[in-house]
Amino acid sequence: MLWPGTLIGAGAGFAIASIPGAMLGALLGQALDRRLHLQSWGHLREKLGGRPMLRNDELLFVLLGRLAKSDGRVTDGHIQQARNEMNALEMSEPARRRAIAAFNRGKSGGDHLRGYLRRLSAQPHAAEGVLRACWRMVWADGRAGVSERELLAQWGKWLGWTTHQIQALASDYEPHKRPIVSAAVSYQEAMRLLGVSVTSEPAQIKRAYRRLLSRHHPDKIAGSGATPEQVREATEKTRELHNAFSLIRARRDFR
C-alpha cells in the first residue's frame, strides 16, 4: 500500500539533508498520512482537489453509479436497482441522502477507487457483497456491456479476486429469458406476493416490500453459507418482489 505523505517527506528530506533528512521527512510524512487518512496517490489528488474522502457506506454507491453510467446512459432500471440496494440495507433517511449523493458522484467518474478497494480486500465478506451488488447493477438493464465487465474485472483485481471468481458471480444474477412477474400477472397475485391487500395504505405496502426484500436479499443468503443454487433462488425472489411492487405502485399511483 502506498503512503504518499511518507514518500514525499522522505524524498524531500533526502534532498535537503541526505539520509538523516529522509528519516525525519518520512516520520513527518507518516504523521500527515495518518492525520489525513491518505492511502494512495489517488487519495492525495482528491484531497488537493478539494474532493472529500469517501466514507465506507458511500463507496458501494459510488461504484454503482460508475457502472450505471459506464455505457453512457443511466436507465430507470439502474435507478431502481440503487433504490433496491438502499431498501435491502434498511438505510435511514440521512444514509439514503448520502447514498444518492454517492451514486451521482460515481456517475461523474472522478474518484480514484484503487486505494479504497485494496483496503476493502482485507474484509472478504464485505468485498464479496460489493461485487454481488455490482453485478446486480450490471444486469439491471438486462445486459452486461463490455465497459461494465472491464470495470468489474479491474475492481475485482484490486479486491484480490481472480477473473474466474468474478465471472462466476455473474451467473447468479443474469436475467432469465422469461420474466418472473410480468404485466400478465394479476394485480391480486402481486398483492399476494407482498402479503398486502387492496385496503393497504402505500406506507404499509412499502414496509412489506422492504421487509421481504431484506429477508430474501442474495447478500444475506450468501453470508449465511448458502449454496450457489440458493443464492440464485434468492436473486429470482428479489426480482419477483421488485416486479410485484412495481406493478402495485403503478396501479395505485404512488412513489
Side-chain angles (χ1 to χ4, degrees), residues 186-225:
S186 70
Y187 177 52
Q188 287 72 24
E189 176 66 8
M191 288 191 294
R192 185 191 66 77
L193 288 169
L194 295 188
V196 297
S197 69
V198 292
T199 60
S200 296
E201 294 294 327
Q204 294 175 298
I205 297 171
K206 291 178 183 179
R207 283 196 297 271
Y209 168 61
R210 291 170 181 170
R211 183 176 63 251
L212 290 169
L213 196 65
S214 176
R215 181 186 305 168
H216 296 285
H217 200 276
D219 284 353
K220 185 173 290 186
I221 301 297
S224 65

Short mmCIF file of all heavy atoms in Angstrom, two decimals, residues 186-225:
data_model
loop_
_atom_site.label_atom_id
_atom_site.label_comp_id
_atom_site.label_asym_id
_atom_site.label_seq_id
_atom_site.Cartn_x
_atom_site.Cartn_y
_atom_site.Cartn_z
N SER A 186 -51.64 -10.95 -12.44
CA SER A 186 -52.73 -10.11 -11.95
C SER A 186 -52.28 -9.22 -10.80
O SER A 186 -51.30 -9.49 -10.10
CB SER A 186 -53.89 -10.99 -11.49
OG SER A 186 -53.53 -11.70 -10.31
N TYR A 187 -53.04 -8.17 -10.62
CA TYR A 187 -52.82 -7.25 -9.51
C TYR A 187 -52.97 -8.01 -8.19
O TYR A 187 -52.20 -7.82 -7.25
CB TYR A 187 -53.86 -6.14 -9.63
CG TYR A 187 -53.86 -5.11 -8.52
CD1 TYR A 187 -52.69 -4.46 -8.15
CD2 TYR A 187 -55.05 -4.75 -7.90
CE1 TYR A 187 -52.70 -3.50 -7.16
CE2 TYR A 187 -55.07 -3.78 -6.91
CZ TYR A 187 -53.90 -3.16 -6.53
OH TYR A 187 -53.92 -2.21 -5.56
N GLN A 188 -53.95 -8.92 -8.13
CA GLN A 188 -54.18 -9.71 -6.93
C GLN A 188 -52.99 -10.61 -6.61
O GLN A 188 -52.59 -10.78 -5.45
CB GLN A 188 -55.45 -10.57 -7.07
CG GLN A 188 -56.76 -9.80 -7.00
CD GLN A 188 -57.01 -8.96 -8.26
OE1 GLN A 188 -56.46 -9.28 -9.33
NE2 GLN A 188 -57.83 -7.93 -8.13
N GLU A 189 -52.38 -11.18 -7.65
CA GLU A 189 -51.22 -12.04 -7.44
C GLU A 189 -50.04 -11.23 -6.90
O GLU A 189 -49.31 -11.68 -6.02
CB GLU A 189 -50.82 -12.70 -8.76
CG GLU A 189 -49.55 -13.54 -8.70
CD GLU A 189 -49.68 -14.78 -7.83
OE1 GLU A 189 -50.80 -15.09 -7.38
OE2 GLU A 189 -48.65 -15.44 -7.58
N ALA A 190 -49.85 -10.03 -7.42
CA ALA A 190 -48.77 -9.17 -6.94
C ALA A 190 -48.97 -8.83 -5.46
O ALA A 190 -48.02 -8.83 -4.68
CB ALA A 190 -48.70 -7.90 -7.78
N MET A 191 -50.21 -8.53 -5.08
CA MET A 191 -50.50 -8.23 -3.68
C MET A 191 -50.24 -9.45 -2.81
O MET A 191 -49.75 -9.34 -1.68
CB MET A 191 -51.94 -7.75 -3.53
CG MET A 191 -52.18 -6.35 -4.08
SD MET A 191 -53.79 -5.69 -3.62
CE MET A 191 -54.87 -6.82 -4.52
N ARG A 192 -50.58 -10.63 -3.33
CA ARG A 192 -50.35 -11.85 -2.55
C ARG A 192 -48.86 -12.06 -2.30
O ARG A 192 -48.44 -12.45 -1.20
CB ARG A 192 -50.92 -13.06 -3.30
CG ARG A 192 -50.84 -14.37 -2.51
CD ARG A 192 -51.16 -15.56 -3.36
NE ARG A 192 -50.16 -15.75 -4.41
CZ ARG A 192 -48.95 -16.29 -4.18
NH1 ARG A 192 -48.61 -16.67 -2.97
NH2 ARG A 192 -48.11 -16.45 -5.17
N LEU A 193 -48.05 -11.76 -3.31
CA LEU A 193 -46.61 -11.93 -3.17
C LEU A 193 -46.04 -11.04 -2.07
O LEU A 193 -45.11 -11.43 -1.35
CB LEU A 193 -45.91 -11.63 -4.49
CG LEU A 193 -46.10 -12.66 -5.60
CD1 LEU A 193 -45.61 -12.13 -6.93
CD2 LEU A 193 -45.36 -13.95 -5.25
N LEU A 194 -46.60 -9.84 -1.93
CA LEU A 194 -46.12 -8.91 -0.91
C LEU A 194 -46.87 -9.06 0.41
O LEU A 194 -46.49 -8.44 1.41
CB LEU A 194 -46.24 -7.46 -1.39
CG LEU A 194 -45.38 -7.06 -2.59
CD1 LEU A 194 -45.47 -5.56 -2.82
CD2 LEU A 194 -43.94 -7.47 -2.40
N GLY A 195 -47.94 -9.86 0.42
CA GLY A 195 -48.70 -10.06 1.64
C GLY A 195 -49.51 -8.85 2.06
O GLY A 195 -49.66 -8.57 3.25
N VAL A 196 -50.03 -8.11 1.06
CA VAL A 196 -50.85 -6.93 1.34
C VAL A 196 -52.23 -7.12 0.69
O VAL A 196 -52.46 -8.09 -0.03
CB VAL A 196 -50.18 -5.64 0.82
CG1 VAL A 196 -48.87 -5.40 1.54
CG2 VAL A 196 -49.95 -5.73 -0.70
N SER A 197 -53.12 -6.17 0.94
CA SER A 197 -54.48 -6.26 0.40
C SER A 197 -54.84 -4.97 -0.31
O SER A 197 -54.09 -3.98 -0.29
CB SER A 197 -55.48 -6.53 1.53
OG SER A 197 -55.58 -5.39 2.37
N VAL A 198 -56.01 -4.96 -0.92
CA VAL A 198 -56.47 -3.77 -1.66
C VAL A 198 -56.69 -2.59 -0.74
O VAL A 198 -56.73 -1.44 -1.19
CB VAL A 198 -57.77 -4.08 -2.44
CG1 VAL A 198 -57.52 -5.06 -3.56
CG2 VAL A 198 -58.85 -4.59 -1.50
N THR A 199 -56.85 -2.85 0.56
CA THR A 199 -57.09 -1.75 1.51
C THR A 199 -55.79 -1.27 2.16
O THR A 199 -55.84 -0.32 2.94
CB THR A 199 -58.08 -2.21 2.60
OG1 THR A 199 -57.52 -3.34 3.29
CG2 THR A 199 -59.42 -2.59 1.99
N SER A 200 -54.69 -1.89 1.86
CA SER A 200 -53.41 -1.50 2.48
C SER A 200 -52.99 -0.11 2.01
O SER A 200 -53.10 0.20 0.82
CB SER A 200 -52.32 -2.51 2.15
OG SER A 200 -52.60 -3.78 2.69
N GLU A 201 -52.52 0.69 2.94
CA GLU A 201 -52.02 2.01 2.60
C GLU A 201 -50.65 1.91 1.91
O GLU A 201 -49.92 0.93 2.12
CB GLU A 201 -51.89 2.87 3.87
CG GLU A 201 -53.21 3.19 4.54
CD GLU A 201 -54.08 4.09 3.68
OE1 GLU A 201 -53.52 4.94 2.94
OE2 GLU A 201 -55.31 3.94 3.74
N PRO A 202 -50.28 2.91 1.10
CA PRO A 202 -48.96 2.88 0.44
C PRO A 202 -47.80 2.65 1.41
O PRO A 202 -46.87 1.92 1.10
CB PRO A 202 -48.88 4.25 -0.23
CG PRO A 202 -50.31 4.59 -0.54
CD PRO A 202 -51.10 4.06 0.63
N ALA A 203 -47.88 3.29 2.59
CA ALA A 203 -46.80 3.12 3.56
C ALA A 203 -46.69 1.66 4.01
O ALA A 203 -45.58 1.14 4.21
CB ALA A 203 -47.02 4.03 4.76
N GLN A 204 -47.85 0.99 4.18
CA GLN A 204 -47.83 -0.42 4.57
C GLN A 204 -47.24 -1.30 3.46
O GLN A 204 -46.49 -2.24 3.73
CB GLN A 204 -49.27 -0.88 4.87
CG GLN A 204 -49.89 -0.23 6.09
CD GLN A 204 -51.35 -0.65 6.27
OE1 GLN A 204 -52.19 -0.39 5.41
NE2 GLN A 204 -51.64 -1.33 7.36
N ILE A 205 -47.58 -0.97 2.23
CA ILE A 205 -47.07 -1.74 1.08
C ILE A 205 -45.55 -1.58 0.98
O ILE A 205 -44.82 -2.55 0.76
CB ILE A 205 -47.75 -1.27 -0.22
CG1 ILE A 205 -49.26 -1.57 -0.15
CG2 ILE A 205 -47.13 -1.96 -1.43
CD1 ILE A 205 -50.06 -0.97 -1.28
N LYS A 206 -45.07 -0.36 1.18
CA LYS A 206 -43.62 -0.11 1.12
C LYS A 206 -42.89 -0.87 2.23
O LYS A 206 -41.83 -1.46 2.00
CB LYS A 206 -43.34 1.38 1.24
CG LYS A 206 -43.78 2.20 0.04
CD LYS A 206 -43.51 3.68 0.28
CE LYS A 206 -44.01 4.53 -0.89
NZ LYS A 206 -43.77 5.98 -0.65
N ARG A 207 -43.46 -0.87 3.43
CA ARG A 207 -42.82 -1.58 4.54
C ARG A 207 -42.77 -3.08 4.26
O ARG A 207 -41.75 -3.74 4.53
CB ARG A 207 -43.56 -1.31 5.85
CG ARG A 207 -43.27 0.06 6.45
CD ARG A 207 -43.71 0.12 7.91
NE ARG A 207 -45.14 -0.07 8.05
CZ ARG A 207 -46.03 0.92 8.03
NH1 ARG A 207 -45.62 2.17 7.87
NH2 ARG A 207 -47.32 0.67 8.19
N ALA A 208 -43.86 -3.62 3.72
CA ALA A 208 -43.90 -5.05 3.41
C ALA A 208 -42.86 -5.40 2.35
O ALA A 208 -42.15 -6.41 2.46
CB ALA A 208 -45.30 -5.43 2.94
N TYR A 209 -42.76 -4.57 1.35
CA TYR A 209 -41.79 -4.80 0.27
C TYR A 209 -40.36 -4.76 0.81
O TYR A 209 -39.54 -5.65 0.52
CB TYR A 209 -41.99 -3.72 -0.79
CG TYR A 209 -40.91 -3.63 -1.83
CD1 TYR A 209 -40.60 -4.69 -2.67
CD2 TYR A 209 -40.17 -2.45 -1.97
CE1 TYR A 209 -39.61 -4.59 -3.63
CE2 TYR A 209 -39.18 -2.34 -2.93
CZ TYR A 209 -38.90 -3.41 -3.75
OH TYR A 209 -37.91 -3.32 -4.69
N ARG A 210 -40.04 -3.75 1.61
CA ARG A 210 -38.68 -3.62 2.14
C ARG A 210 -38.34 -4.77 3.09
O ARG A 210 -37.21 -5.28 3.09
CB ARG A 210 -38.52 -2.28 2.86
CG ARG A 210 -38.55 -1.09 1.90
CD ARG A 210 -38.65 0.23 2.65
NE ARG A 210 -38.70 1.36 1.72
CZ ARG A 210 -38.98 2.60 2.07
NH1 ARG A 210 -39.22 2.89 3.34
NH2 ARG A 210 -39.00 3.57 1.15
N ARG A 211 -39.32 -5.19 3.88
CA ARG A 211 -39.08 -6.31 4.81
C ARG A 211 -38.77 -7.59 4.05
O ARG A 211 -37.81 -8.31 4.37
CB ARG A 211 -40.30 -6.50 5.70
CG ARG A 211 -40.12 -7.60 6.75
CD ARG A 211 -41.31 -7.70 7.67
NE ARG A 211 -42.53 -8.07 6.94
CZ ARG A 211 -43.54 -7.24 6.70
NH1 ARG A 211 -43.49 -5.99 7.12
NH2 ARG A 211 -44.61 -7.66 6.05
N LEU A 212 -39.57 -7.88 3.02
CA LEU A 212 -39.35 -9.09 2.23
C LEU A 212 -38.06 -9.00 1.43
O LEU A 212 -37.35 -10.00 1.28
CB LEU A 212 -40.54 -9.32 1.29
CG LEU A 212 -41.85 -9.72 1.98
CD1 LEU A 212 -43.01 -9.66 1.00
CD2 LEU A 212 -41.73 -11.13 2.56
N LEU A 213 -37.77 -7.81 0.91
CA LEU A 213 -36.53 -7.63 0.14
C LEU A 213 -35.32 -7.88 1.03
O LEU A 213 -34.35 -8.53 0.61
CB LEU A 213 -36.49 -6.20 -0.42
CG LEU A 213 -35.49 -5.95 -1.55
CD1 LEU A 213 -35.88 -6.74 -2.79
CD2 LEU A 213 -35.46 -4.46 -1.88
N SER A 214 -35.39 -7.40 2.26
CA SER A 214 -34.27 -7.62 3.19
C SER A 214 -34.14 -9.10 3.54
O SER A 214 -33.04 -9.65 3.60
CB SER A 214 -34.49 -6.79 4.45
OG SER A 214 -33.49 -7.05 5.40
N ARG A 215 -35.26 -9.77 3.72
CA ARG A 215 -35.25 -11.19 4.11
C ARG A 215 -34.66 -12.06 3.02
O ARG A 215 -33.94 -13.02 3.31
CB ARG A 215 -36.66 -11.65 4.43
CG ARG A 215 -36.76 -13.10 4.88
CD ARG A 215 -38.21 -13.53 5.03
NE ARG A 215 -38.93 -12.64 5.95
CZ ARG A 215 -40.25 -12.64 6.09
NH1 ARG A 215 -40.99 -13.45 5.35
NH2 ARG A 215 -40.82 -11.83 6.95
N HIS A 216 -34.96 -11.74 1.77
CA HIS A 216 -34.54 -12.60 0.66
C HIS A 216 -33.33 -12.04 -0.10
O HIS A 216 -33.01 -12.54 -1.18
CB HIS A 216 -35.71 -12.79 -0.32
CG HIS A 216 -36.87 -13.51 0.28
ND1 HIS A 216 -36.88 -14.86 0.51
CD2 HIS A 216 -38.08 -13.04 0.73
CE1 HIS A 216 -38.04 -15.21 1.06
NE2 HIS A 216 -38.78 -14.13 1.20
N HIS A 217 -32.69 -11.01 0.43
CA HIS A 217 -31.59 -10.39 -0.30
C HIS A 217 -30.46 -11.40 -0.52
O HIS A 217 -30.04 -12.10 0.41
CB HIS A 217 -31.06 -9.19 0.48
CG HIS A 217 -30.29 -8.24 -0.35
ND1 HIS A 217 -28.96 -8.41 -0.63
CD2 HIS A 217 -30.66 -7.11 -1.00
CE1 HIS A 217 -28.53 -7.43 -1.39
NE2 HIS A 217 -29.54 -6.61 -1.63
N PRO A 218 -29.95 -11.51 -1.75
CA PRO A 218 -28.90 -12.51 -2.04
C PRO A 218 -27.66 -12.38 -1.17
O PRO A 218 -27.05 -13.38 -0.81
CB PRO A 218 -28.57 -12.23 -3.52
CG PRO A 218 -29.81 -11.61 -4.07
CD PRO A 218 -30.39 -10.80 -2.95
N ASP A 219 -27.27 -11.16 -0.82
CA ASP A 219 -26.09 -10.98 0.02
C ASP A 219 -26.30 -11.61 1.39
O ASP A 219 -25.39 -12.24 1.95
CB ASP A 219 -25.78 -9.49 0.20
CG ASP A 219 -25.14 -8.90 -1.04
OD1 ASP A 219 -24.83 -9.67 -1.97
OD2 ASP A 219 -24.97 -7.67 -1.08
N LYS A 220 -27.49 -11.45 1.95
CA LYS A 220 -27.78 -12.03 3.25
C LYS A 220 -27.79 -13.55 3.17
O LYS A 220 -27.29 -14.25 4.06
CB LYS A 220 -29.12 -11.51 3.76
CG LYS A 220 -29.46 -11.96 5.17
CD LYS A 220 -30.71 -11.26 5.69
CE LYS A 220 -30.46 -9.80 5.94
NZ LYS A 220 -31.61 -9.12 6.58
N ILE A 221 -28.34 -14.08 2.08
CA ILE A 221 -28.36 -15.53 1.89
C ILE A 221 -26.94 -16.07 1.72
O ILE A 221 -26.56 -17.07 2.33
CB ILE A 221 -29.20 -15.90 0.65
CG1 ILE A 221 -30.64 -15.39 0.81
CG2 ILE A 221 -29.19 -17.39 0.40
CD1 ILE A 221 -31.41 -16.01 1.95
N ALA A 222 -26.15 -15.38 0.91
CA ALA A 222 -24.77 -15.82 0.67
C ALA A 222 -23.96 -15.77 1.95
O ALA A 222 -23.13 -16.65 2.21
CB ALA A 222 -24.12 -14.95 -0.40
N GLY A 223 -24.19 -14.77 2.78
CA GLY A 223 -23.45 -14.63 4.02
C GLY A 223 -23.76 -15.70 5.04
O GLY A 223 -22.99 -15.91 5.98
N SER A 224 -24.88 -16.38 4.87
CA SER A 224 -25.26 -17.45 5.81
C SER A 224 -24.74 -18.81 5.36
O SER A 224 -25.13 -19.84 5.92
CB SER A 224 -26.79 -17.49 5.95
OG SER A 224 -27.40 -17.86 4.72
N GLY A 225 -23.90 -18.82 4.32
CA GLY A 225 -23.32 -20.08 3.86
C GLY A 225 -24.18 -20.84 2.88
O GLY A 225 -24.06 -22.07 2.76
#
